[in-house]
């Protein structure tokens, strides 16, 4: 699948916004700590991915009812669904000048992940969090995502790489008082 930037300006994939608040002190502190233990930008990206995947539980898996959407809140509260975890990873990567896009897949609901730009190409990564039956890994050599869409079931990969969270995703996250409510209002398509 060919991934398509929704803006040709690569600097848009380094920008901060309301959800990817990479100038926030907690994001900067976390990024600095991960960077100190990394030998290069690839090692940093892998480290940031593994941190978000493994150290911030997916709220559905953990039973956490809180809804987070801003990267700094995800890092502070240590919880989030796929979109929130993607925002946190994007903020950590952008904090270290690694172009990062938000991208999505369609299942019964829309699933959120990121794409990182290395060696002139985009590579999708899914920091959702592993569990039995789900084993996502950081890779620039073939995708190792949490889920693979089944076109026969009307599932798909959206090819668009967004510089900012999709408005439908952000609207659902911001309006939800808790995860059970969010589960009733998750976008089913973009």
């Amino acid at each position: 699948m060919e991934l398509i930037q929704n803006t040709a300006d690569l600097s848009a994939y380094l920008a901060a916004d309301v959800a990817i608040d990479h100038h926030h002190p907690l994001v900067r502190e976390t990024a600095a700590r991960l960077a100190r233990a990394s030998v290069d930008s690839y090692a940093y990206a892998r480290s940031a991915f593994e941190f978000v995947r493994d150290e911030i539980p997916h709220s559905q898996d953990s039973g956490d009812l809180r809804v987070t959407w801003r990267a700094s809140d995800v890092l502070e509260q240590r919880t989030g669904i796929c979109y929130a975890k993607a925002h946190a990873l994007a903020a950590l990567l952008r904090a270290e000048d690694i172009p990062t896009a938000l991208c999505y897949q369609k299942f019964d609901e829309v699933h959120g992940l990121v794409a990182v730009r290395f060696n002139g190409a985009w590579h999708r990564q899914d920091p959702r969090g592993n569990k039995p039956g789900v084993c996502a890994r950081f890779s620039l050599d073939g995708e190792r995502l949490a889920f693979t869409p089944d076109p026969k079931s009307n599932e798909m990969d959206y090819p668009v790489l967004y510089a900012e969270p999709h408005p439908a995703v952000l609207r659902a996250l911001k309006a939800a008082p808790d995860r059970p409510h969010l589960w009733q209002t998750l976008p089913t398509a973009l």
Side-chain angles (χ1 to χ4, degrees), residues 69-163:
W69 57 271
R70 185 178 290 115
S72 58
D73 293 338
V74 174
L75 294 175
E76 179 186 355
Q77 297 181 37
R78 295 292 181 111
T79 190
I81 67 165
C82 60
Y83 311 128
K85 291 181 66 154
H87 298 168
L89 180 57
L92 290 172
L93 294 172
R94 289 180 182 187
E96 291 294 315
D97 294 322
I98 298 170
T100 307
L102 299 165
C103 46
Y104 303 92
Q105 296 175 308
K106 181 190 180 306
F107 298 99
D108 290 336
E109 292 89 19
V110 174
H111 174 61
L113 51 157
V114 303
V116 296
R117 189 161 179 90
F118 275 100
N119 305 322
W122 289 101
H123 306 272
R124 294 188 310 162
Q125 313 295 328
D126 192 342
R128 182 230 177 267
N130 291 339
K131 63 179 187 174
V134 176
C135 184
R137 294 193 326 253
F138 186 84
S139 176
L140 302 183
D141 183 28
E143 293 184 334
R144 307 289 195 277
L145 305 178
F147 308 110
T148 303
D150 177 9
K152 294 176 190 159
S153 298
N154 200 29
E155 298 173 350
M156 66 179 283
D157 288 308
Y158 287 106
V160 178
L161 301 173
Y162 295 90

